Structure formats: structure tokens, C-alpha cells
């Protein structure tokens, strides 16, 4: 039979002697009571101190609660009592079991330490020991501070002592036992990467099966014994041999840490090795490969499993979900146990987090039927303008000089809207949509918009139509040739600025995406036939590729829609913030997201018709503008710690990675220009210019510099950093002057002045330059000016 000893310290007596001296400095309505007397209390069973981890406690409150709980058990009002410690996050559970009492002591903080669970002791021995301690405490209190003996807590202790003293024979009910033999409940989950997590627990545990909802906060009922194991690489690792509910709670703590890492897209390497209370599990991140280092609690050996982050997170959350389901099936009353509910809600939150990041993805794994039905659907393309050319080799020309052809002044001109077609130059300004002849500057037509919201005016040219909107509820479909209004689309809600639109001439319908997250499909009569919202995010980019409409929202969601019906074909969400619009190249869809906290980017390559990821790559910096594609190569400009660098990625490699880097000199004000692809000596090359006017020609294959030029003298920053153009065998470079350089050597062939600090530049056939200038504060009229390039003397063979 177990021995019981309960010891209370004596320091509280000194505190009680001087407690009256504290009354004058306390608020008038705050009376002193015995609960403020704290000291150590040791409950020793067979030489083991169950309360050793608890430094101090309100001893009168704890002893009073223990006595009150025993009275309830003795008088049959309860079969289990849970006593909460006043000062520390610990609980003591007492369960009646005939002539014995079952004691459990455990903490309810995040460490969830269990000192004892259902430790059997003789009921009479425990009652006698507690009564002796209670009587001694009351005697000492009366001698030290007599007036405190009238405290209601003291009187409750006296009453409980009297009740237990009168009960010479303790008649405690026996505990119900569902089964004399354990009933193991086993569950497991496996990932595609070869990780299996398995648990087992005794479903016939008396503490679990006897829970009837009497205690709303009852961790004791969940402390059924069992195991948690991991299996990988043909090895079994015992992670926990004790209380699986506590081990899974530790696993969820680690999962939450991993979700934070995964969502923020931190640097490629990390290590989470902080100690978990009930599971020795370390996670090491190496880019898109995570290593789980699990320690066997029996042998002490470490075992490693390597796999993808999604496999790791899904396995952790799935095994917790299965365990919660099995516990609930073992006893349906657990639904009112807040300790169980808290654990269930944590699992639910982590699953939702997983779904938000990588789980609630919808894929079109069998796109054959869709392609068979709608594979012929294509958005209408706008006619390509003629390429600029020059009749003579530019190296053989003695002199080039500009000749001003025309000038056009418009208020509120949106330079981003200027579109060059095979017919005209189309633009939008405060006066409406205009069409201009690029050769003469003659305004062919102008159409005022019904909605005149200035900052949100936008147009999209698709085939022979112009889709225009002012940010309101109405869209206007204009004829590209005449400006006539073909029809109007009443969206029914404010659309904000148009992000993109396309018209499908052969099928007589169109699709439009607006900034607030709305996509609408409309027919040739202007009737809205479908709507789709990307809420809660706003639309960052829209891509029309064959029979797909790919939209990307600000919350990282990307979806592909059927342009005819608006049905979602696939929908995925990447971690991080979308940086740039999605792009299609050689049958792949490319998307980039950014981690603004750590200034890193992630590149995703997707199958456009299924939404499945082909590969993904971490980039060491923030992207500066959309990537450029040259044959099988992707070239991306990055900024990291103030340094601008170009990186080249071979898209057809088995394992795509950064193949080369090229440092650029930049002031960090404007992004480098888009890469101008050229062919020199039969090899692909690229040309790029920074906002310091540094011009670089490099090999696309290995990043080797072929030639590089810098201004002879320090120039002002290039406001706008206009694009580069190729004409014949020369490079056209628009800065504060117009320079033509030999593609092969970078030699300056010609240079002439037009306007200073242009904000817009365009090269049109046959050899004409169009520049845009912003108006001043005094004159807000913006200006477009066209210059034809003439020559003097050409040496011909």
C-alpha cells in the first residue's frame, strides 16, 4: 500500500504576522484574505514529490479545494474532481475508485508536463493526511492571526474537515472500466515522398471512456497512453512512448513554426531545433527540400527523412486530424471538453493554413476533353505594324539627322496606353480615346468616354476592337478603324482600372479583367454572360492564351478560366506576393512571387492546361521588371542589397537553376530595360541598359560580356529608361541623345539630339522616332513629337 505524506512550509506564518501592516496601503475596497498567504506544499507518494515542480502556491486555497473535492467524492456528488492551482498552471485530478483514489498531476501550459496519471493510493490514508495538514494549518493560523480565522475560506476548510472527520468509513464508488483489456486504436498517414506517421492509443482507457462532460476543461480525460511513430527509408522511429495527445500537440507546435517559415518564404536554409516538450523532432530547410531529423526515444539515435515542404506539412496535419477523429469516436462527449476543442480548432486552423498556401488547389488533370471542345478558341490578334528599316547599311552612311515631322498636344495623356497597330497609333487622354496616323500626326478620330474617371482611364486593343473604360460601370467597345461605338457593356458594378481584355471574333464574345478582382464575359451585343471574382485579392495581371484566361490576384491566387463560360479550370495559390504578371513561353506558364520581408523571389513553371507545377526556383533577390525570354533561356534582373544583377536560367535543363550572373551598374531608381534579343555570329545575345546609361551586350548562353559602353561623362539619371530597338545591323539607343551602335562591336555609328529627358519612346516604320514629354506645372499639356531620320551621303557598293 502506498504511503502518503503532505508537507506545508512555515514561511506563511511570518507573512501572516505582518499582514495587518499592509492593510493601510491597500485600496479601501480590497480586503485581505488567506489566499494571499503562499508557501510550498509537497504531496509525497511513496517518496515521490508530485508537486516538486511547483515553487509556491496559495496553500489555504489549495488545501480548501482538496478538502472540498474529497467531500464531493465521499458524499457521492462526483466521481472525479479537478483542482486548479491558484498561482501556477497546474492541475490535480482525483478519481474515486472504491477504496482507492487515483491521483494525476500535470501542467496545462504549453509544455504540458505530466508528473503522475492515475496513481493509486489508499483513500483513507490520503484523507487522513490531508485532514491532519488542514487542522494543523488552522491551529497555526489561529495562533498567529486570530482575526483571519473568520475568513470565508477558513470557515469552508473547517466545515470540510468536520465532514471528513465524521465519515469514519469512506464509501467511494468504484470506477467504471470499459474493458479489462486494452483496445488499441491505430491510425496512420503516408505522403508521396515516403514519410509515414503512425499513432496508437488505448480506446478503452477509463479516463477517456468515463468522461461525461462534467468538467469543461479536462486534460486528464485525454491522457490515454499510446505511441507515436514515424517510418521512412525502411526504418521505424519511436517518437513518443507515453501520451500521444501531448506528442501530437508538440507536433502541431512544430507545424505552426513550419507554416510561418513556408508562408514567409524565408531564405533557402533554416533549422528549427528548439526543444519540444514531448517529441524530439528537428526540421532543417534546404531550399525546396526539408529534412526531418527524428530521434528514437528508446535508442537515442537520429534518423533523417528528406522531402518536399508540402509532403512534410500535409503528413503532420493529416496524422493530427486522424487522431482527433479517433478520439472523438472513442467518446462523443469530448465535444464539450474545451481542452479537446482547443486541439481540434488548432488542427482545423493548420489545415486551413495548408489549404490557403498549397492545399486548396484545383487541378485539371485531364485537359483532353476541354481541348477537344475549345482548343480552337483564340483571342483576336491585332495586326502587327511594319518593322522599321533603312535602305542602306548604317555603317556606310556619312550623317544621320532628325527632321521634325509632327507634334501632338493632349492633356492627361497616358503613355502606358499608347498602342501601335498596323493602322494607327491608339491612345487615351483626358479628351477620350484617339487614333493618330504615326506618319503625319493627323488625328483620325477621337471618342469621348461615358465614364470620365481620370486616373482609372484605360484601353485595350484586341483585333479590330478597342475596349475602353473610365473606371466606372460602363465599358465601351469601339471600332479600331472609325472609333464608332459598336456596343456598350453595363457591368453593374464599378470595375476600377482595366487590367486586360480580349475579344474572340470568331465566337463573338469578349472577356475583361478589372483591378478590383472582377472578371466578366460579355457577348457581341454587350450583355454580361458570366462573372467571376478573385476576392479577397485584387487582380494583379491577366493573360489570354488560346482557350485559357489566366488571372493572378494580389493574395497569390492564380486561376485559369474558360473564356466562354467563366468556369474555373484550375486554381492554385503560391506563398508570397505576386510580383509580376504571368507569362507564357514555349508551352509553359511562368509566375513569380516575392517575400517582401526577406527580399527573395520564387519562380514557378506550370503546365498551362493543368495548373500543375513543373518546377520552382528560389531567386536571390527582388525582381526588377518582367523576365525576358530568348529561345530556351529566361533572363531576370534582380536587386539584392543595392546591387543589380542579371541571371540566366536554362528552361530546358533537367533541373533548372541559375546558370550565370552578370553584375550591372545601376542607381536603383529605374529598372533595367527589357532584354533586346539579337543574333550575332549565329549565337543568341542580349542587350540591356541601366539607369546609369550603362549599355551591355552579353551572350545569352553563358552571360559573357561581348562589349559594354558607358557615357564619357557622368550624365543625369535616365528618367524612364526607354526601351532598346534594333534597326538593321545597328542598335538604337534612346537616352538624352539618340545613338546608333554597331551590334557586333558596340562602336558608335551615329548620334544626334532630339528632345531632352523623354518619358516615352517608340520606333516606327520606315525610320521614325516618336517621343513623349510630360507637361510642366504651368502647362499640364503632354506632348508627342515625331522625328523622321534622314541621311546625307551613303557609300554604296
Amino acid at each position: 500500500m502506498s504511503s502518503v505524506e503532505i508537507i506545508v512550509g512555515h514561511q506563511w506564518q511570518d507573512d501572516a504576522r505582518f499582514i495587518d501592516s499592509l492593510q493601510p496601503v491597500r485600496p479601501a475596497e480590497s480586503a485581505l484574505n488567506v489566499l494571499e498567504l503562499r508557501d510550498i506544499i509537497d504531496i509525497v507518494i511513496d517518496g515521490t514529490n508530485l508537486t516538486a515542480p511547483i515553487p509556491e502556491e496559495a496553500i489555504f486555497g489549495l488545501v480548501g479545494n482538496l478538502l472540498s473535492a474529497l467531500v464531493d467524492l465521499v458524499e457521492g456528488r462526483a466521481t472525479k474532481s479537478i483542482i486548479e492551482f491558484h498561482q501556477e498552471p497546474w492541475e490535480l485530478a482525483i478519481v474515486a475508485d472504491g477504496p482507492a483514489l487515483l491521483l494525476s498531476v500535470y501542467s496545462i501550459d504549453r509544455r504540458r508536463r505530466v508528473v503522475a496519471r492515475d496513481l493509486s493510493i489508499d483513500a483513507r490514508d490520503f484523507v487522513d493526511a490531508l485532514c491532519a495538514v488542514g487542522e494543523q494549518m488552522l491551529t497555526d493560523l489561529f495562533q498567529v492571526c486570530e482575526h483571519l480565522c473568520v475568513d470565508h475560506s477558513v470557515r469552508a476548510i473547517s466545515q470540510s474537515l468536520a465532514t471528513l472527520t465524521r465519515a469514519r468509513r469512506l464509501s467511494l464508488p468504484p470506477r467504471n472500466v470499459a474493458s479489462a483489456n486494452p483496445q488499441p486504436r491505430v491510425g496512420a498517414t503516408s505522403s508521396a515522398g515516403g514519410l509515414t506517421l503512425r499513432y496508437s492509443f488505448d480506446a478503452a482507457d477509463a479516463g477517456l471512456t468515463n468522461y461525461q462532460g462534467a468538467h469543461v476543461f479536462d486534460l486528464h480525460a485525454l491522457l490515454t497512453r499510446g505511441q507515436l511513430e514515424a517510418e521512412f527509408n525502411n526504418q521505424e522511429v519511436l517518437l513518443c512512448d507515453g501520451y500521444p495527445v501531448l506528442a501530437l500537440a508538440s507536433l502541431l507546435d512544430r507545424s505552426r513554426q513550419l507554416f510561418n517559415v513556408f508562408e514567409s518564404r524565408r531564405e533557402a536554409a533554416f533549422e528549427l531545433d528548439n526543444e519540444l516538450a514531448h517529441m524530439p523532432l528537428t526540421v532543417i530547410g534546404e531550399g525546396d527540400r526539408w529534412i526531418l531529423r527524428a530521434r528514437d526515444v528508446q535508442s537515442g539515435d537520429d534518423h533523417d527523412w528528406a522531402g518536399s515542404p508540402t509532403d512534410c506539412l500535409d503528413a503532420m496535419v493529416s496524422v493530427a486530424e486522424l487522431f482527433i477523429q479517433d478520439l472523438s469516436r472513442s467518446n462523443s462527449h469530448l465535444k464539450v471538453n474545451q481542452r479537446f476543442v482547443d486541439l481540434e480548432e488548432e488542427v482545423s486552423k493548420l489545415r486551413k493554413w495548408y489549404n490557403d498556401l498549397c492545399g486548396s488547389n484545383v487541378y485539371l488533370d485531364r485537359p483532353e476533353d476541354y481541348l477537344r471542345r475549345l482548343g480552337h478558341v483564340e483571342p483576336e490578334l491585332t495586326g502587327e505594324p511594319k518593322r522599321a528599316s533603312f535602305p542602306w547599311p548604317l555603317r556606310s552612311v556619312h550623317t544621320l539627322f532628325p527632321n521634325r515631322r509632327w507634334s501632338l498636344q493632349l492633356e492627361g495623356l497616358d503613355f502606358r496606353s499608347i498602342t501601335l497597330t498596323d493602322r494607327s497609333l491608339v491612345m487615351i487622354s483626358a479628351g477620350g480615346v484617339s487614333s493618330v496616323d504615326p506618319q503625319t500626326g493627323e488625328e483620325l478620330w477621337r471618342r469621348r468616354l461615358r465614364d470620365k474617371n481620370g486616373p482609372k482611364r484605360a484601353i485595350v486593343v484586341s483585333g479590330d476592337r478597342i475596349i475602353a473604360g473610365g473606371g466606372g460601370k460602363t465599358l465601351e467597345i469601339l471600332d479600331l478603324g472609325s472609333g464608332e461605338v459598336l456596343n456598350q457593356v453595363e457591368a453593374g458594378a464599378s470595375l476600377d482600372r482595366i487590367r486586360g481584355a480580349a475579344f474572340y471574333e470568331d465566337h463573338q464574345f469578349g472577356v475583361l479583367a478589372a483591378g478590383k478582382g472582377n472578371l466578366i464575359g460579355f457577348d457581341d451585343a454587350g450583355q454580361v454572360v458570366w462573372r467571376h471574382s478573385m476576392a479577397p485579392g485584387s487582380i494583379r495581371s491577366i493573360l489570354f492564351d488560346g482557350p485559357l484566361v489566366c488571372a493572378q490576384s494580389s493574395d497569390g491566387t492564380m486561376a485559369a478560366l474558360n473564356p466562354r463560360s467563366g468556369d474555373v479550370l484550375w486554381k492554385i495559390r503560391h506563398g508570397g506576393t505576386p510580383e509580376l504578371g504571368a507569362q507564357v513561353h514555349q508551352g509553359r506558364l511562368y509566375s513569380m512571387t516575392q517575400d517582401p520581408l526577406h527580399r527573395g523571389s520564387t519562380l514557378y513553371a506550370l503546365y498551362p492546361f493543368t495548373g500543375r507545377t513543373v518546377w520552382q526556383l528560389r531567386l536571390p533577390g527582388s525582381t526588377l521588371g518582367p523576365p525576358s525570354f530568348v529561345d530556351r533561356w529566361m533572363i531576370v534582373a534582380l536587386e539584392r542589397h543595392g546591387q543589380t544583377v542579371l541571371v540566366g536560367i536554362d528552361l530546358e535543363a533537367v533541373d533548372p537553376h541559375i546558370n550565370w550572373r552578370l553584375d550591372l551598374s545601376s542607381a536603383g531608381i529605374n529598372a533595367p530595360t527589357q532584354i533586346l534579343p539579337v543574333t550575332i555570329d549565329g549565337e543568341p545575345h542580349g542587350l540591356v541598359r541601366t539607369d546609369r546609361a550603362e549599355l551591355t551586350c552579353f551572350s545569352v548562353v553563358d552571360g559573357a560580356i561581348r562589349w559594354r559602353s558607358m557615357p564619357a561623362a557622368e550624365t543625369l539619371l535616365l528618367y524612364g529608361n526607354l526601351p532598346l530597338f534594333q534597326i538593321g545591323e545597328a542598335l538604337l539607343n534612346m537616352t538624352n541623345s539618340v545613338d546608333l551602335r554597331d551590334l557586333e562591336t558596340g562602336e558608335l555609328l551615329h548620334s544626334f539630339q532630339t528632345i531632352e529627358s523623354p518619358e516615352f519612346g517608340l520606333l516606327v516604320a520606315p525610320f521614325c522616332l516618336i517621343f513623349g514629354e510630360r507637361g510642366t506645372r504651368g502647362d499640364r499639356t503632354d506632348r508627342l513629337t515625331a522625328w523622321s531620320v534622314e541621311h546625307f551621303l551613303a557609300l554604296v557598293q
Side-chain angles (χ1 to χ4, degrees):
M1 190 64 70
S2 300
S3 64
V4 181
E5 187 178 7
I6 301 177
I7 306 168
V8 176
H10 300 286
Q11 182 66 37
W12 67 270
Q13 298 179 27
D14 295 334
D15 296 338
R17 288 189 180 95
F18 301 100
I19 199 168
D20 289 338
S21 61
L22 297 176
Q23 186 63 55
V25 298
R26 294 170 63 91
E29 68 278 3
S30 178
L32 290 166
N33 59 70
V34 295
L35 294 181
E36 298 185 54
L37 299 175
R38 285 180 279 179
D39 210 333
I40 61 172
I41 181 169
D42 294 333
I43 302 175
V44 183
I45 309 295
D46 286 342
T48 302
N49 187 356
L50 303 185
T51 56
I54 305 171
E56 278 190 349
E57 186 53 36
I59 54 174
F60 281 89
L62 179 60
V63 171
N65 289 341
L66 282 170
L67 291 169
S68 177
L70 289 176
V71 169
D72 290 339
L73 294 176
V74 168
E75 295 183 350
R77 290 194 295 268
T79 58
K80 179 168 76 171
S81 294
I82 297 178
I83 297 94
E84 293 185 25
F85 288 72
H86 291 75
Q87 303 298 325
E88 299 292 333
W90 285 79
E91 288 182 348
L92 190 152
I94 305 176
V95 179
D97 188 17
L101 292 175
L102 304 179
L103 263 62
S104 302
V105 180
Y106 48 87
S107 71
I108 53 176
D109 56 6
R110 296 198 68 85
R111 294 191 61 81
R112 306 177 187 90
R113 290 170 288 180
V114 179
V115 177
R117 206 258 180 170
D118 288 348
L119 181 62
S120 179
I121 60 173
D122 184 84
R124 171 52 65 186
D125 290 345
F126 186 79
V127 170
D128 290 344
L130 187 61
C131 288
V133 167
E135 290 172 354
Q136 185 63 46
M137 289 172 59
L138 292 183
T139 300
D140 294 341
L141 181 65
F142 183 79
Q143 294 175 353
V144 174
C145 191
E146 182 177 348
H147 73 273
L148 283 179
C149 292
V150 300
D151 187 278
H152 68 91
S153 299
V154 175
R155 288 180 297 183
I157 292 175
S158 299
Q159 184 177 353
S160 298
L161 283 172
T163 302
L164 293 175
T165 302
R166 289 194 301 268
R168 297 298 180 183
R169 297 184 59 184
L170 299 180
S171 56
L172 299 175
R175 183 172 62 157
N176 293 327
V177 179
S179 173
N181 299 318
Q183 296 181 1
R185 185 71 61 86
V186 179
T189 183
S190 298
S191 71
L195 172 65
T196 298
L197 294 176
R198 180 171 57 248
Y199 64 84
S200 62
F201 67 92
D202 182 12
D205 179 85
L208 174 63
T209 57
N210 289 337
Y211 180 77
Q212 300 296 317
H215 300 277
V216 178
F217 294 88
D218 190 350
L219 180 60
H220 171 268
L222 306 180
L223 294 178
T224 174
R225 295 196 68 87
Q227 293 180 336
L228 182 65
E229 300 171 275
E231 182 179 351
F232 47 83
N233 302 334
N234 297 321
Q235 295 177 328
E236 293 186 0
V237 183
L238 184 60
L239 299 175
C240 167
D241 187 12
Y243 306 102
V245 66
L246 302 183
L248 283 166
S250 295
L251 184 67
L252 294 178
D253 289 343
R254 181 68 83 216
S255 300
R256 180 165 285 277
Q257 296 171 358
L258 290 171
F259 274 112
N260 282 321
V261 172
F262 190 69
E263 184 177 52
S264 62
R265 298 288 179 179
R266 295 180 183 175
E267 296 298 334
F270 69 88
E271 183 172 357
L272 296 178
D273 59 354
N274 57 302
E275 182 183 356
L276 296 176
H278 298 277
M279 180 180 295
L281 181 66
T282 298
V283 182
I284 302 169
E286 297 178 353
D288 296 324
R289 179 173 172 267
W290 284 5
I291 299 174
L292 266 65
R293 180 162 296 161
R295 178 169 298 168
D296 193 297
V297 295
Q298 287 184 342
S299 66
D301 297 331
D302 289 338
H303 303 271
D304 289 355
W305 171 82
S308 68
T310 53
D311 282 349
C312 174
L313 293 171
D314 186 52
M316 289 180 173
V317 177
S318 295
V319 74
E321 287 176 324
L322 293 174
F323 182 79
I324 290 296
Q325 292 171 9
D326 274 346
L327 271 184
S328 181
R329 293 191 187 103
S330 301
N331 188 343
S332 60
H333 294 99
L334 290 178
K335 291 293 185 180
V336 299
N337 187 340
Q338 192 60 43
R339 304 292 185 201
F340 175 84
V341 172
D342 290 343
L343 193 63
E344 187 179 43
E345 289 179 352
E346 176 68 0
V347 174
S348 177
K349 289 177 182 178
L350 292 179
R351 173 55 70 186
K352 183 178 183 299
W353 203 351
Y354 178 88
N355 290 338
D356 287 343
L357 293 178
C358 52
S360 62
N361 297 336
V362 179
Y363 301 100
L364 184 65
D365 287 325
R366 297 184 62 84
E368 295 83 2
D369 293 340
Y370 179 76
L371 290 173
R372 193 177 297 114
R373 290 184 290 107
L374 293 175
H376 60 287
V377 174
E378 292 277 352
E380 188 177 0
L381 299 178
T382 303
E384 289 287 333
K386 293 181 180 180
R387 295 191 61 179
S389 61
F390 195 71
W392 316 107
L394 289 168
R395 179 178 289 278
S396 66
V397 175
H398 183 273
T399 303
L400 289 179
F401 58 92
N403 183 21
R404 182 165 174 165
R405 297 285 299 273
W406 55 265
S407 181
L408 179 66
Q409 296 184 4
L410 294 170
E411 184 178 349
L413 176 60
D414 184 358
F415 289 129
R416 296 172 298 177
S417 72
I418 299 178
T419 305
L420 179 63
T421 71
D422 58 342
R423 300 185 183 184
S424 62
L425 202 63
V426 181
M427 64 200 74
I428 188 170
S429 63
V433 183
S434 304
S435 178
V436 176
D437 187 333
Q439 302 300 324
T440 64
E442 177 187 358
E443 190 174 67
L444 304 178
W445 54 262
R446 178 181 295 187
R447 177 69 59 185
R448 289 188 173 275
L449 297 180
R450 178 175 172 181
D451 289 327
K452 301 178 182 180
N453 193 338
K456 298 181 179 180
R457 294 188 298 264
I459 59 171
V460 175
V461 180
S462 179
D464 292 334
R465 289 172 171 79
I466 300 173
I467 303 172
K473 301 179 181 180
T474 303
L475 296 174
E476 298 183 43
I477 313 300
L478 311 178
D479 180 77
L480 177 61
S482 64
E484 177 185 355
V485 178
L486 301 178
N487 51 52
Q488 294 182 343
V489 180
E490 296 294 337
S494 179
L495 294 172
D496 199 72
R497 186 180 179 90
I498 297 175
R499 297 296 185 188
F503 198 81
Y504 298 78
E505 173 68 26
D506 294 340
H507 305 276
Q508 298 298 302
F509 68 88
V511 178
L512 176 135
K516 286 187 177 180
N518 299 311
L519 289 97
I520 62 171
F522 55 90
D523 59 22
D524 196 41
Q527 297 297 315
V528 176
V529 294
W530 59 262
R531 300 176 186 272
H532 180 79
S533 175
M534 297 292 288
S538 59
I539 293 180
R540 296 292 296 271
S541 69
I542 189 76
L543 174 69
F544 301 94
D545 180 44
L548 294 179
V549 177
C550 297
Q552 192 170 29
S553 69
S554 57
D555 65 349
T557 301
M558 178 178 285
L561 282 68
N562 179 337
R564 176 175 287 175
S565 64
D567 295 335
V568 176
L569 303 175
W570 54 260
K571 180 181 179 182
I572 60 175
R573 181 176 179 181
H574 298 309
T577 304
E579 279 191 284
L580 309 164
Q583 293 177 281
V584 172
H585 180 68
Q586 295 183 347
R588 293 285 185 269
L589 180 64
Y590 296 96
S591 171
M592 284 193 181
T593 62
Q594 180 187 21
D595 172 14
L597 180 62
H598 296 86
R599 299 189 62 80
S601 303
T602 304
L603 168 65
Y604 298 89
L606 311 171
Y607 292 112
F609 287 100
T610 66
R612 295 284 182 182
T613 300
V614 186
W615 51 265
Q616 65 185 57
L617 177 65
R618 287 280 297 172
L619 301 177
S622 300
T623 56
L624 300 173
S628 301
F629 298 93
V630 182
D631 194 25
R632 60 185 290 171
W633 293 89
M634 174 188 284
I635 303 168
V636 188
L638 301 174
E639 184 272 331
R640 180 73 174 173
H641 301 308
Q643 175 64 49
T644 300
V645 60
L646 283 184
V647 298
I649 303 167
D650 185 357
L651 301 177
E652 296 183 9
V654 176
D655 182 20
H657 58 279
I658 295 177
N659 296 80
W660 52 261
R661 302 168 187 260
L662 176 61
D663 290 338
L664 302 178
S665 176
S666 171
I669 304 299
N670 291 295
T673 61
Q674 283 290 100
I675 304 301
L676 175 66
V678 297
T679 301
I680 302 176
D681 296 335
E683 297 294 330
H685 285 72
L687 289 147
V688 64
R689 188 188 60 236
T690 69
D691 56 2
R692 287 195 182 277
E694 178 190 71
L695 189 60
T696 305
C697 178
F698 60 92
S699 169
V700 170
V701 177
D702 56 12
I705 297 177
R706 184 179 181 94
W707 56 262
R708 173 174 280 175
S709 72
M710 285 286 289
E714 185 69 22
T715 62
L716 297 175
L717 296 179
L718 301 181
Y719 192 74
N721 205 11
L722 303 182
L724 301 172
F725 297 95
Q726 180 183 2
I727 179 167
E729 76 286 2
L731 166 70
L732 181 66
N733 180 28
M734 300 178 182
T735 58
N736 294 333
S737 62
V738 177
D739 300 334
L740 286 102
R741 293 182 177 272
D742 184 82
L743 285 178
E744 295 187 8
T745 63
E747 176 188 354
L748 182 63
L749 303 178
H750 302 278
S751 180
F752 52 85
Q753 299 287 331
T754 52
I755 62 175
E756 186 177 358
S757 300
E759 291 194 32
F760 172 82
L762 187 64
L763 174 65
V764 300
F767 192 178
C768 182
L769 304 176
I770 300 177
F771 292 102
E773 297 176 278
R774 285 284 180 210
T776 63
R777 290 185 178 181
D779 181 8
R780 297 189 177 183
T781 302
D782 304 317
R783 181 180 292 104
L784 281 181
T785 306
W787 306 73
S788 63
V789 180
E790 311 292 346
H791 70 283
F792 174 72
L793 292 180
L795 179 64
V796 296
Q797 298 295 332

